[in-house]
Amino acid sequence: MSRNAESTAFRSALEVIRAVEPRVADAIGAELADQRESLKLIASENYASPATLLAMGNWFSDKYAEGTVGRRFYAGCQNVDTVEALAAEHAQELFGAAHAYVQPHSGIDANLVAFWAVLADRVESPALKKAQVRQVNDLTEADWFALRRELGNQRMLGMSLDAGGHLTHGFRPNISGKMFDQRSYGTDPATGLIDYDRVAEAAREFKPLILVGGYSAYPRKVNFRILREIADSVGATFMVDMAHFAGLVAGKVFTGDFDPVPHAHIVTTTTHKSLRGPRGGMVLCQPELADQVDRGCPMVLGGPLPHVMAAKAVALAEARRPDFADYAQRIVDNSQALAEGLLRRGAKLVTGGTDNHLVLIDVSGYGLTGRQAEQALLDSGIVTNRNSVPQDPNGAWYTSGIRIGTPALTTRGLGTAEMDQTAELIHTVLTQTTAGANADGTPSKAKYTLDAGLADKIARQATDLLATYPLYPGVDLS
Ligand SMILES: *Cc1c(COP(=O)(O)O)cnc(C)c1O
């Protein structure tokens, strides 16, 4: 395919938009320019392909398609059926899953669908059984009361937030923490690794309905075979949220015990992180949960987004190609090169390294909070995000960590040599930044000083590093 086609497509689209609201066209153009210039190390972000992006901007956006393929509550869904079935088929083939539900609008939505499916499947309630067989009108007030009480008193065991778990795994600021009685498992304070014996102990004591595996900020592989054995030993449903590392599963970097799909009853994911698809979510599950999962819309979700499902089908087709496995391996090679580069220069890393796409720097070693480090790096053209470290003394707002990830830069084509240079830039910024003080002389967790000239110099070096690896080389908007 000619690169010219990509330029023509995006240029024409902007021309059409510009005729209605030029400021939107300008903002879209500016976003591309900004992304091209920034050293994006946000572990949850990536760059979707032009084909994936273009599949979202069309008439599918106009369709209502509640229901599932072939069983819609709206007429005229034959073409939506085509793309939804394709996306599901690609997902099943790619991940070796028995069932795929591709409607969730995001990772959080996918988790809500999964929670509902497990509750509906597992909670022994005569009232729920009635509701499930669509005798909703027969439910008495007492049934409803019993149902709410039973559904709201279930237990969930997930990874603690400061060890790298996600808010949606039963934590208070999220609805999951209000729906479930939650307990969490952490990591070994000495090694930073998951201590499976402690997880088993917590499961035995707590007897969760759902054991959740998966993370947003844990830099290591997780043994899903062991977690499944723990779930089985207490009769829990084993759910894995692979939102962050789905690309590494798709690219067969995580196989055997480290591939969640053969071990979990239900797997949720985003499609836009390491998987490099459109912004969205997905649920994969064993056959016995499929009916409940398919009730996601309208039980939990608003109407499906057929244009995004079309883009999911495109991105999943891309992920089935052999070069995606190569991409996934390069993500991890880059992450390890970045970790080694940082360690060699004296940085302190949670767990001492990485075997996935992300690295967690404990910036207390530089005398900084995560917030100070994040801002100083941003001033220097390096985009990261602050993150808690295990047992973080600075809490979830200021934090003591910086999370960096390689999926986006790997998509651009940067390799291990550039990762070492990136480590040098990060280390230089963090060693040259000093923590500030409050007006009363106490140490500030937010204020810092960094020489503006140095920040500019680093930002120029970051841009130079990117110059050889243009983002969307086929797209010229000028
Ligand atoms: C990113 C993430 C989510 C949320 O995804 P959204 O698409 O932002 O809703 C859920 N779970 C985990 C583990 C994540 O990393």
Side-chain angles (χ1 to χ4, degrees):
M1 197 225 12
S2 82
R3 286 192 164 177
N4 215 359
E6 292 174 3
S7 291
T8 309
F10 286 102
R11 257 192 241 157
S12 302
L14 288 179
E15 191 182 321
V16 173
I17 296 165
R18 182 163 285 114
V20 180
E21 175 46 291
R23 289 170 295 184
V24 170
D26 289 345
I28 295 171
E31 182 60 27
L32 176 61
D34 288 353
Q35 295 212 17
R36 278 180 165 158
E37 276 180 22
S38 78
L39 197 65
K40 180 149 94 176
L41 285 163
I42 294 184
S44 52
E45 292 190 4
N46 210 329
Y47 305 107
S49 71
T52 297
L53 295 177
L54 290 167
M56 282 186 275
N58 56 66
W59 307 272
F60 273 134
S61 166
D62 298 330
K63 272 306 293 171
Y64 245 113
E66 274 178 41
T68 48
V69 175
R71 285 188 67 242
R72 305 284 185 187
F73 294 93
Y74 287 82
C77 291
Q78 59 282 359
N79 301 311
V80 177
D81 280 359
T82 301
V83 293
E84 181 170 352
L86 271 171
E89 182 190 313
H90 281 314
Q92 284 164 233
E93 292 293 327
L94 177 64
F95 292 107
H99 184 71
Y101 180 65
V102 297
Q103 292 185 9
H105 310 159
S106 73
I108 289 186
D109 292 11
N111 284 350
L112 285 173
V113 169
F115 297 154
W116 166 254
V118 177
L119 287 172
D121 182 60
R122 294 285 311 277
V123 175
E124 296 292 329
S125 159
L128 186 60
K129 289 282 170 307
K130 269 197 212 169
Q132 288 305 310
V133 294
R134 301 191 190 278
Q135 295 170 327
V136 177
N137 294 339
D138 299 343
L139 290 169
T140 63
E141 278 305 308
D143 285 335
W144 284 119
F145 183 76
L147 192 56
R148 278 194 289 269
R149 211 183 38 204
E150 285 156 16
L151 292 181
N153 279 305
Q154 302 301 322
R155 290 184 294 272
M156 170 179 288
L157 178 62
M159 192 165 186
S160 72
L161 269 185
D162 71 355
H166 193 259
L167 273 185
T168 54
H169 301 172
F171 294 92
R172 292 283 156 82
N174 177 260
I175 183 82
S176 59
K178 299 172 173 71
M179 289 166 69
F180 291 94
D181 178 11
Q182 198 264 14
R183 208 179 277 182
S184 54
Y185 57 88
T187 47
D188 182 317
T191 60
L193 302 175
I194 294 175
D195 179 342
Y196 295 95
D197 292 338
R198 295 290 297 278
V199 182
E201 202 179 293
R204 268 197 307 278
E205 276 172 19
F206 190 53
K207 304 233 175 325
L209 180 79
I210 307 180
L211 172 65
V212 185
Y215 54 79
S216 308
Y218 180 69
R220 295 292 178 176
K221 290 192 215 180
V222 173
N223 190 315
F224 297 113
R225 180 185 53 77
I226 298 179
L227 288 181
R228 171 61 186 262
E229 284 167 12
I230 293 170
D232 284 348
S233 73
V234 297
T237 295
F238 181 37
M239 167 175 159
V240 174
D241 179 351
M242 64 171 183
H244 253 264
F245 55 90
L248 304 183
V249 179
K252 312 289 180 245
V253 174
F254 287 173
T255 55
D257 291 355
F258 306 103
D259 175 354
V261 180
H263 301 292
H265 296 99
I266 189 159
V267 175
T268 57
T269 185
T270 60
T271 47
H272 51 274
K273 297 183 182 175
S274 55
L275 194 53
R276 205 164 65 180
R279 187 155 292 279
M282 198 159 70
V283 181
L284 308 173
C285 68
Q286 306 281 357
E288 58 276 18
L289 285 168
D291 283 350
Q292 299 298 351
V293 165
D294 282 350
R295 288 181 194 196
C297 169
M299 181 66 77
V300 175
L301 303 173
L305 308 173
H307 55 308
V308 180
M309 293 197 287
K312 285 172 183 170
V314 171
L316 288 162
E318 289 171 345
R320 289 184 66 189
R321 299 198 303 217
D323 60 348
F324 193 88
D326 174 56
Y327 165 63
Q329 186 56 52
R330 284 188 292 115
I331 291 176
V332 177
D333 293 346
N334 278 343
S335 174
Q336 291 178 336
L338 194 51
E340 280 156 26
L342 286 162
L343 285 171
R344 192 152 25 80
R345 291 170 175 87
K348 194 164 122 195
L349 305 184
V350 173
T351 78
T354 178
D355 19 68
N356 59 19
H357 63 296
L358 69 89
V359 174
L360 197 56
I361 311 174
D362 182 343
V363 294
S364 64
Y366 293 100
L368 301 171
T369 64
R371 192 178 148 103
Q372 290 160 335
E374 177 192 81
Q375 279 303 315
L377 288 167
L378 194 61
D379 293 345
S380 315
I382 302 171
V383 190
T384 64
N385 64 278
R386 66 185 188 279
N387 207 99
S388 302
V389 300
Q391 292 96 40
D392 200 311
N394 287 323
W397 178 253
Y398 293 108
T399 81
S400 305
I402 285 288
R403 186 185 69 166
I404 52 185
T406 52
L409 291 184
T410 305
T411 294
R412 273 186 94 137
L414 279 75
T416 53
E418 290 77 23
M419 291 304 115
D420 192 61
Q421 288 171 268
T422 303
E424 172 68 21
L425 298 183
I426 292 171
H427 178 73
T428 304
V429 172
L430 297 182
T431 44
Q432 297 301 315
T433 302
T434 46
N438 296 312
D440 63 4
T442 55
S444 167
K445 291 185 178 187
K447 293 184 192 156
Y448 63 94
T449 46
L450 171 66
D451 179 71
L454 179 76
D456 284 347
K457 186 174 143 215
I458 299 281
R460 273 196 309 278
Q461 288 174 341
T463 313
D464 288 348
L465 201 57
L466 294 171
T468 331
Y469 304 97
L471 178 61
Y472 298 109
V475 180
D476 176 6
L477 296 183
S478 59

